[in-house]
Each structure stands twice: as C-alpha cells, then as structure tokens.
Amino acid sequence: MKKEQGFSLIELLIVVAIIAIIAAIAVPSMLTSRMAANEAGAIQSLRTYGSAQTAYAAVNNQQYGSFEQLTNETNGGYLDGRWADGATFNGYEFTEDQTVTGAPGAATAKTPDGFGCLATPRTADSTGRYTYGIASDQVVRFQAVAGEADAPAGLEEGDPIGKQAAGSGT
C-alpha cells in the first residue's frame, strides 16, 4: 500500500492564520511609515521651494516669484515641472500666496514682496497628518492637524519644525 503525502487541512489553516496575524501587525506599521515619509517629503519640498524663492529673488531685484515663474525654463527653472501643475505630489498639495501662522508680522505672504506656501495632505487618513508652511523667513512651521490626528507633542500652530520642547534641556 502506498502512503499518501501532503498537508492536512488543519495544518494549512494554521499556516494561513499565522500569515494573517503577521499581516495584521505589519500593515498598520507600513501605512504609518508611508505617512511619515510623505510628511518628511513635504517638509523638504517646502525647503526646496524657499531656496528657489531666494535664488529667484537674488537675480530679480529682490522680488519673489510664483510657481509659474519659478518653473519657467527661460527664467532659470528654479523648480521642476511638478510645481507648475497645481503643485500636488508626494501625497501633499502645495498652495502659494498663503499666510503662514507664526511667520514674522513684517513678512507678506504675497509675491512679489514676500511669499507663503502651505503643504496640505491630499487625504488626511492616508497621505499625511499635518499641514506645514514656509514664509519669507525660510522657516518651515507646523500649521494644523489634518483629519483626526493628534498634534505633535510640544508643538503648537506656528511653531518651527524641530523646535525643542520646553524643559528638554537641549
């Protein structure tokens, strides 16, 4: 008599259950990591935008430019083409000529005398938890909480990103 080889139904169900448990643990961590990466990308994009504005103003009589002017190749192409078409990438939407909370009162948010740009998550549940902004003083600031997220510990609206919490000793 030949002995049949293979897995029993119970063994297969146990393996499927283990895989389901591992997936239930890993998927939320992956989504949180993706959100954090989008937020870091938004902050860096705002810094890039601020640097482009400074470079543009240096050769244009201290006048800041719009997304269209900064992406125009004949003006120097300070930003790539993503900024010209509604400026939506990396899970965030970038809007210019916005007032940035916490920026110095003397700075205007409107070009050509100043600038203000906000980075808002496209969907608060999956692309980002916070809104960020940059103004003519070149400081990226926390602006608001998107969706139902909690505010970052120690930060209030208008505080610079990277601010040390009070009493931290550093």
Side-chain angles (χ1 to χ4, degrees), residues 49 53 64-70 94-100 108-118 134-136:
Y49 172 76
Q53 284 285 18
Y64 297 106
S66 65
F67 287 162
E68 184 179 329
Q69 291 167 318
L70 294 171
F94 297 84
T95 52
E96 62 184 334
D97 291 338
Q98 301 293 314
T99 301
V100 176
T108 176
K110 305 277 185 196
T111 56
D113 299 324
F115 67 87
C117 181
L118 293 180
I134 191 169
S136 306

Coordinates of all heavy atoms in Angstrom, one line a residue, residues 49 53 64-70 94-100 108-118 134-136:
Y49 N 11.4 74.8 -2.1 CA 10.6 76.0 -2.5 C 11.2 77.3 -2.0 O 11.4 78.3 -2.7 CB 9.2 75.9 -2.2 CG 8.3 77.1 -2.4 CD1 7.9 77.4 -3.7 CD2 7.9 77.9 -1.4 CE1 7.2 78.5 -4.0 CE2 7.2 79.0 -1.7 CZ 6.8 79.3 -3.0 OH 6.0 80.4 -3.2
Q53 N 12.9 80.3 -4.1 CA 12.5 81.7 -4.0 C 13.6 82.7 -3.7 O 13.7 83.7 -4.3 CB 11.4 81.9 -2.9 CG 10.1 81.4 -3.2 CD 9.3 82.3 -4.2 OE1 9.9 83.2 -4.9 NE2 8.0 82.1 -4.3
Y64 N 10.0 88.1 -5.3 CA 9.8 86.7 -5.3 C 8.9 86.3 -6.5 O 8.2 87.2 -7.0 CB 9.2 86.3 -4.0 CG 10.1 86.5 -2.8 CD1 9.9 87.6 -1.9 CD2 11.2 85.7 -2.6 CE1 10.7 87.8 -0.9 CE2 12.1 85.9 -1.5 CZ 11.8 87.0 -0.7 OH 12.7 87.2 0.4
G65 N 8.9 85.1 -6.8 CA 8.1 84.6 -8.0 C 7.0 83.6 -7.7 O 7.0 83.0 -6.6
S66 N 6.1 83.4 -8.6 CA 5.1 82.5 -8.5 C 5.6 81.1 -8.9 O 6.7 80.9 -9.4 CB 3.9 82.9 -9.4 OG 4.3 82.8 -10.7
F67 N 4.7 80.0 -8.7 CA 5.1 78.7 -9.2 C 5.5 78.8 -10.6 O 6.4 78.2 -11.1 CB 3.9 77.7 -8.9 CG 3.7 77.3 -7.5 CD1 2.5 76.7 -7.2 CD2 4.7 77.4 -6.5 CE1 2.2 76.3 -5.9 CE2 4.4 77.0 -5.2 CZ 3.2 76.5 -4.9
E68 N 4.6 79.4 -11.4 CA 4.8 79.5 -12.9 C 6.2 80.2 -13.2 O 6.9 79.7 -14.1 CB 3.7 80.3 -13.5 CG 3.8 80.4 -15.0 CD 2.6 81.1 -15.6 OE1 1.5 81.2 -15.0 OE2 2.8 81.7 -16.7
Q69 N 6.5 81.2 -12.5 CA 7.8 81.9 -12.8 C 9.0 81.1 -12.4 O 10.0 81.0 -13.0 CB 7.8 83.3 -12.1 CG 6.9 84.3 -12.7 CD 6.7 85.5 -11.8 OE1 6.6 85.4 -10.6 NE2 6.7 86.7 -12.4
L70 N 8.8 80.4 -11.2 CA 9.9 79.6 -10.7 C 10.2 78.3 -11.6 O 11.3 77.8 -11.6 CB 9.7 79.2 -9.3 CG 9.7 80.3 -8.3 CD1 9.2 79.8 -6.9 CD2 11.0 80.9 -8.1
F94 N 0.5 71.7 -2.6 CA 1.2 72.9 -2.2 C 0.5 74.1 -2.9 O 0.2 74.1 -4.0 CB 2.7 72.8 -2.8 CG 3.4 71.7 -2.1 CD1 3.4 70.4 -2.7 CD2 4.2 72.0 -1.0 CE1 4.1 69.4 -2.1 CE2 4.9 70.9 -0.4 CZ 4.9 69.7 -0.9
T95 N 0.2 75.1 -2.0 CA -0.5 76.3 -2.5 C 0.3 77.5 -2.1 O 0.8 77.6 -1.0 CB -1.9 76.4 -1.9 OG1 -1.9 76.2 -0.4 CG2 -2.9 75.3 -2.4
E96 N 0.4 78.4 -3.1 CA 1.2 79.6 -2.9 C 0.4 80.8 -2.4 O -0.8 80.7 -2.4 CB 2.0 79.9 -4.1 CG 1.2 80.2 -5.3 CD 2.0 80.5 -6.6 OE1 3.1 80.9 -6.5 OE2 1.4 80.3 -7.7
D97 N 1.1 81.9 -2.1 CA 0.4 83.1 -1.6 C -0.5 82.9 -0.4 O -1.6 83.4 -0.4 CB -0.3 83.8 -2.8 CG 0.7 84.4 -3.8 OD1 1.8 84.6 -3.5 OD2 0.2 84.6 -4.9
Q98 N 0.0 82.1 0.5 CA -0.8 81.7 1.7 C -0.1 82.3 3.0 O 1.1 82.4 3.0 CB -0.9 80.2 1.9 CG -1.5 79.5 0.8 CD -3.0 79.8 0.6 OE1 -3.7 79.8 1.6 NE2 -3.4 80.1 -0.6
T99 N -0.9 82.8 3.9 CA -0.4 83.3 5.2 C 0.0 82.1 6.0 O -0.7 81.1 6.2 CB -1.5 84.1 5.9 OG1 -1.9 85.2 5.0 CG2 -0.9 84.6 7.2
V100 N 1.3 82.2 6.5 CA 1.8 81.1 7.4 C 1.8 81.6 8.8 O 2.4 82.6 9.2 CB 3.3 80.8 6.9 CG1 3.9 79.8 7.8 CG2 3.3 80.3 5.5
T108 N 5.2 89.6 4.2 CA 4.0 89.4 3.5 C 3.9 88.0 2.8 O 4.9 87.5 2.5 CB 3.8 90.5 2.4 OG1 2.6 90.3 1.7 CG2 4.9 90.6 1.4
A109 N 2.7 87.5 2.7 CA 2.6 86.2 2.1 C 2.4 86.2 0.6 O 2.5 85.2 -0.1 CB 1.3 85.5 2.7
K110 N 2.3 87.4 0.0 CA 2.0 87.5 -1.4 C 3.3 87.9 -2.2 O 4.1 88.7 -1.7 CB 1.0 88.6 -1.7 CG -0.3 88.4 -0.9 CD -1.2 87.4 -1.6 CE -2.6 87.3 -0.8 NZ -3.3 86.2 -1.2
T111 N 3.5 87.3 -3.3 CA 4.5 87.7 -4.2 C 4.1 89.0 -4.9 O 2.9 89.2 -5.1 CB 4.8 86.6 -5.3 OG1 3.6 86.3 -6.0 CG2 5.3 85.3 -4.7
P112 N 5.0 89.8 -5.3 CA 6.5 89.7 -5.3 C 7.2 90.2 -4.1 O 8.4 90.0 -4.0 CB 6.8 90.6 -6.5 CG 5.8 91.7 -6.5 CD 4.6 91.1 -5.9
D113 N 6.5 90.8 -3.1 CA 7.2 91.3 -1.9 C 7.6 90.3 -0.9 O 8.5 90.5 -0.1 CB 6.4 92.4 -1.3 CG 6.1 93.6 -2.2 OD1 7.0 93.9 -3.0 OD2 5.0 94.1 -2.2
G114 N 6.9 89.2 -0.9 CA 7.2 88.1 0.0 C 6.6 86.8 -0.5 O 6.1 86.8 -1.6
F115 N 6.6 85.8 0.3 CA 5.9 84.5 -0.2 C 5.5 83.7 1.0 O 6.0 83.9 2.1 CB 6.8 83.7 -1.1 CG 8.0 83.1 -0.4 CD1 8.0 81.9 0.2 CD2 9.3 83.8 -0.4 CE1 9.1 81.3 0.9 CE2 10.4 83.2 0.2 CZ 10.3 82.0 0.9
G116 N 4.5 82.9 0.8 CA 4.0 81.9 1.8 C 3.4 80.7 1.0 O 2.7 80.9 0.1
C117 N 3.8 79.6 1.5 CA 3.4 78.3 0.8 C 3.0 77.3 1.9 O 3.7 77.2 2.8 CB 4.5 77.8 -0.1 SG 4.1 76.3 -1.0
L118 N 1.8 76.7 1.6 CA 1.3 75.7 2.6 C 1.4 74.3 1.9 O 1.1 74.2 0.7 CB -0.1 76.0 3.0 CG -0.3 77.2 3.9 CD1 -1.8 77.4 4.2 CD2 0.5 77.2 5.1
I134 N 5.8 77.5 4.9 CA 7.1 78.2 4.8 C 6.8 79.7 4.3 O 5.9 79.8 3.5 CB 8.2 77.6 4.0 CG1 9.5 78.2 4.2 CG2 7.8 77.5 2.5 CD1 10.7 77.4 3.6
A135 N 7.5 80.6 4.9 CA 7.3 82.0 4.5 C 8.7 82.6 4.2 O 9.7 81.9 4.1 CB 6.6 82.8 5.6
S136 N 8.7 83.9 3.9 CA 9.9 84.6 3.5 C 11.1 84.5 4.5 O 12.2 84.7 4.1 CB 9.6 86.1 3.3 OG 8.5 86.2 2.4

